[in-house]
Amino acid sequence: MPVEPPREPVRGGGLLADRFGRVATDLRVSLTDRCNLRCTYCMPEEGLAWMPREQQLTDDEVGRLIRIAVERLGVTDVRFTGGEPVIRRGLLGIVAAAATLQPRPKLSITTNGIGLERMAGPLRDAGLDRVNVSLDTLSPTRFEQLTHRDRHADVLKGLAGAAAAGLTPVKINTVLMRGINDDEAPALLQFALDHGYQLRFIEQMPLDAQHQWDRHEMVTAEAILASLEPFGLVPDSVSRGTAPAETWLVPGYVDAAGNPARVGVIGTVTRPFCGNCDRTRLTADGQVRNCLFATGETDLRGLLREGAGDEAIADAWRVAMWGKKAGHGIDDSSFLQPDRPMSAIGG
Ligand code: SAM
Ligand code: SF4
């Protein structure tokens, strides 16, 4: 479907600007909607109906869209995600191609860590700069309950592999759930401090395929911080900028690079940071989403496959971002959870 022309002039000097003055420079690229885990807050145990292969962008198509984003639209950071990006066959080639772009974007990946022990070195050699590994528990038994897979040891090996390969600072993403793993916040932080990893807690969001998220059941940023009280956290004086995580210093600890250790909390629901959001998202089937919670998408795959030129594709992307809403509106009575679950958007 041809993309509609802009209804009002797109400002921003060719960048990915919106009508609220934000400019997106951080591109999240989902490389697949498939995954080898089944985290309960993300997808059901039986998995989901995966995207048909022919709908998924080819490696060359992904590479072209990243090139357009970097060369024409001012994107400076590219993060690969999914689903589980490490299971995408062409991952190394896609990273290597992105690493040749000028200006060279910062390249990172968000992964569940399975297979990272083996892939960390090749990924670094391909040009990857950093990695975020998701880990919600230190208990192998609990891990299996949470993910429906017995792969806890593989994730720990993946973390160690990433650090050994120099993909630092290695960050850990943790989602806490009430009555399930919220008692582990201090132990997870201690684990991260002991290994030189940087831990960030993420508030659970209404993006599960099962639509079971409950505002009253989620573990809030405030509750997370209360449980970390024994660490005597100190507010970070370094400006947060456009980063989603608010950070605190952990007195008495340093990270792997010798900098003061930090812990982060991403309070998407209770402490929204939409006013500073600098993200644009590309799904594995080539749809631009201007927000995690957007209910509409812009089809770049259609344009690519119809033979559109780079500038036409760039324009469609600009129009998509121009329409970004001021905020996610989770607290509005009219809020609608997007049809796509997190695994098909790219978290
Ligand atoms: N499979 C990779 C992983 O788990 O890191 C990348 C994709 S996953 C969708 C990206 C991040 O989103 C993970 O850190 C995961 O914990 C988080 N996530 C998934 N569903 C979530 C939800 N409903 N609320 C908050 N975070 C969620
Ligand atoms: Fe897979 Fe990541 Fe979703 Fe867990 S959060 S099921 S690892 S995509």
Side-chain angles (χ1 to χ4, degrees):
M1 278 257 299
V3 168
E4 282 181 44
R7 285 189 204 86
E8 42 187 306
V10 175
R11 299 171 181 82
L15 302 176
L16 293 174
D18 66 40
R19 26 168 94 72
F20 301 97
R22 298 167 296 193
V23 177
T25 54
D26 185 342
L27 169 61
R28 307 274 148 145
V29 181
S30 173
L31 293 179
T32 176
D33 62 334
R34 294 167 196 237
C35 189
N36 40 14
L37 293 184
R38 299 284 184 270
C39 303
T40 51
Y41 49 72
C42 186
M43 62 170 87
E45 183 173 4
E46 64 275 16
L48 294 166
W50 309 126
M51 196 177 277
R53 293 278 184 207
E54 66 279 7
Q55 285 183 19
Q56 190 172 286
L57 296 180
T58 64
D59 295 355
D60 286 348
E61 286 172 334
V62 177
R64 181 169 171 211
L65 291 179
I66 296 174
R67 179 176 59 69
I68 290 170
V70 170
E71 290 181 350
R72 293 178 185 257
L73 298 169
V75 161
T76 57
D77 294 71
V78 179
R79 173 171 294 274
F80 300 101
T81 180
E84 179 42 50
V86 170
I87 64 176
R88 168 92 185 211
R89 275 211 194 95
L91 174 64
L92 290 175
I94 292 170
V95 171
T100 63
L101 295 173
Q102 288 301 327
R104 160 76 152 82
K106 285 186 222 118
L107 301 175
S108 57
I109 193 167
T110 299
T111 168
N112 61 29
I114 296 172
L116 191 59
E117 182 191 24
R118 181 177 51 83
M119 285 291 280
L123 279 167
R124 181 214 44 222
D125 294 345
L128 195 78
D129 298 307
R130 278 204 325 92
V131 61
N132 284 25
V133 177
S134 303
L135 177 69
D136 301 327
T137 178
L138 296 176
S139 152
T141 314
R142 224 178 233 186
F143 184 90
E144 196 170 343
Q145 286 160 0
L146 283 175
T147 66
H148 300 289
R149 298 289 185 274
D150 178 16
R151 308 298 297 269
H152 190 254
D154 296 314
V155 179
L156 298 189
K157 283 187 215 156
L159 276 164
L167 293 171
T168 50
V170 174
K171 294 191 182 174
I172 297 180
N173 289 352
T174 298
V175 177
L176 294 179
M177 285 155 287
R178 186 175 296 178
I180 295 175
N181 65 341
D182 57 339
D183 57 337
E184 282 198 66
L188 281 160
L189 177 54
Q190 192 60 55
F191 168 82
L193 294 168
D194 293 343
H195 290 82
Y197 306 142
Q198 205 182 105
L199 180 64
R200 296 133 36 100
F201 292 98
I202 307 176
E203 280 183 345
Q204 192 179 349
M205 296 178 268
L207 289 171
D208 56 315
Q210 308 90 309
H211 289 232
Q212 280 169 357
W213 178 86
D214 180 348
R215 176 80 155 85
H216 305 291
E217 280 300 309
M218 59 168 283
V219 181
T220 61
E222 196 184 350
I224 295 165
L225 289 167
S227 69
L228 298 178
E229 230 166 67
F231 289 91
L233 303 184
V234 177
D236 197 346
S237 57
V238 174
S239 158
R240 172 185 183 182
T242 55
E246 289 176 75
T247 52
W248 283 262
L249 301 175
V250 192
Y253 290 91
V254 289
D255 67 15
N259 299 312
R262 291 181 162 82
V263 60
V265 178
I266 303 182
T268 312
V269 180
T270 65
R271 303 183 184 206
F273 39 88
C274 303
N276 287 322
C277 179
D278 66 350
R279 312 258 170 102
T280 181
R281 294 171 187 277
L282 184 64
T283 64
D285 55 348
Q287 310 299 305
V288 167
R289 298 180 60 89
N290 57 23
C291 172
L292 254 184
F293 298 95
T295 45
E297 302 182 335
T298 297
D299 180 20
L300 296 190
R301 185 193 61 201
L303 285 177
L304 277 173
R305 294 186 182 173
E306 279 161 17
D310 286 358
E311 194 46 33
I313 292 171
D315 252 343
W317 205 327
R318 291 184 191 106
V319 174
M321 295 311 294
W322 188 251
K324 180 168 171 140
K325 289 191 185 154
H328 56 47
I330 290 174
D331 283 332
D332 301 348
S333 55
S334 58
F335 176 75
L336 279 182
Q337 181 169 335
D339 289 338
R340 276 188 199 255
M342 183 70 130
S343 56
I345 296 173

